[in-house]
Amino acid sequence: MSSRTYLPSEQLRTYVKRIVISENEQKNTYKVLPDTSIVMGFQYSGTLCHQTDSGLKILNNAGVTGLSDKYKIFTNSDDTGTLLVVFTETGAATFLKCELQELFSHSVSLDDMIIRSKMDLVTEQLQEARNDSEPVLVIEQFLTSSVTGLPRVAVVDAAVQLIKQTGG
């Protein structure tokens, strides 16, 4: 398993904490601990499943995982490549056309949130990338073109800062 982390461009840093490229040559099951970030992911190779109470759920090539109060268990197939966008605490609202609380404890497809042809183009470009800088550029272009234009709410940003300063 290899994982490489990149800082987003200056233009996206208000919204995105980091971009991660994760590659697994062999089938693997692993836990993901709760975090303060909503995560958008694109599978450019292989398959990823989320373990639910009713069994394994195969995830779509493009999806988003909401906040959670407990760990999640994922299983990938052999030769799985994933690009993850880890949003800031308030960043996901700029890109996703849904009520973010509806994502709580769920991993869902981006089909209803982003135009399918855009997602397919991004996945195709990620599959064709020849080095790490190309997929990061692809996802940054996608995000820049997907800004919904929702204004940032100063009181929410101030609340996040206060929570961080006071340790919760």
Side-chain angles (χ1 to χ4, degrees), residues 85-127:
V85 177
V86 181
F87 290 107
T88 62
E89 288 79 0
T90 58
T94 303
F95 302 97
L96 301 174
K97 297 174 184 168
C98 70
E99 296 293 327
L100 297 181
Q101 68 269 16
E102 293 175 10
L103 297 175
F104 186 78
S105 292
H106 294 289
S107 293
V108 299
S109 170
L110 288 176
D111 285 345
D112 296 328
M113 296 178 230
I114 297 173
I115 298 169
R116 181 68 195 197
S117 59
K118 267 182 129 173
M119 291 187 312
D120 290 343
L121 179 61
V122 169
T123 303
E124 181 180 319
Q125 290 173 332
L126 292 173
Q127 291 169 341

Side-chain angles (χ1 to χ4, degrees), residues 38-53:
I38 292 175
V39 178
M40 181 185 292
F42 292 88
Q43 297 301 126
Y44 55 87
S45 65
T47 304
L48 187 63
C49 299
H50 173 234
Q51 187 172 337
T52 66
D53 293 337

Side-chain angles (χ1 to χ4, degrees), residues 1-73:
M1 176 178 181
S2 72
S3 179
R4 297 170 305 283
T5 302
Y6 302 89
L7 288 177
S9 65
E10 190 68 39
Q11 181 181 9
L12 291 172
R13 286 191 189 154
T14 302
Y15 312 108
V16 177
K17 285 183 183 179
R18 62 189 170 276
I19 297 169
V20 179
I21 297 174
S22 175
E23 296 177 330
N24 293 290
E25 293 178 2
Q26 298 177 341
K27 183 177 180 178
N28 190 19
T29 298
Y30 53 93
K31 290 181 183 178
V32 175
L33 299 175
D35 192 18
T36 59
S37 299
I38 292 175
V39 178
M40 181 185 292
F42 292 88
Q43 297 301 126
Y44 55 87
S45 65
T47 304
L48 187 63
C49 299
H50 173 234
Q51 187 172 337
T52 66
D53 293 337
S54 57
L56 285 179
K57 174 187 172 189
I58 297 175
L59 299 177
N60 287 9
N61 286 349
V64 62
T65 297
L67 300 179
S68 182
D69 58 355
K70 53 188 155 200
Y71 67 85
K72 295 179 187 285
I73 299 175

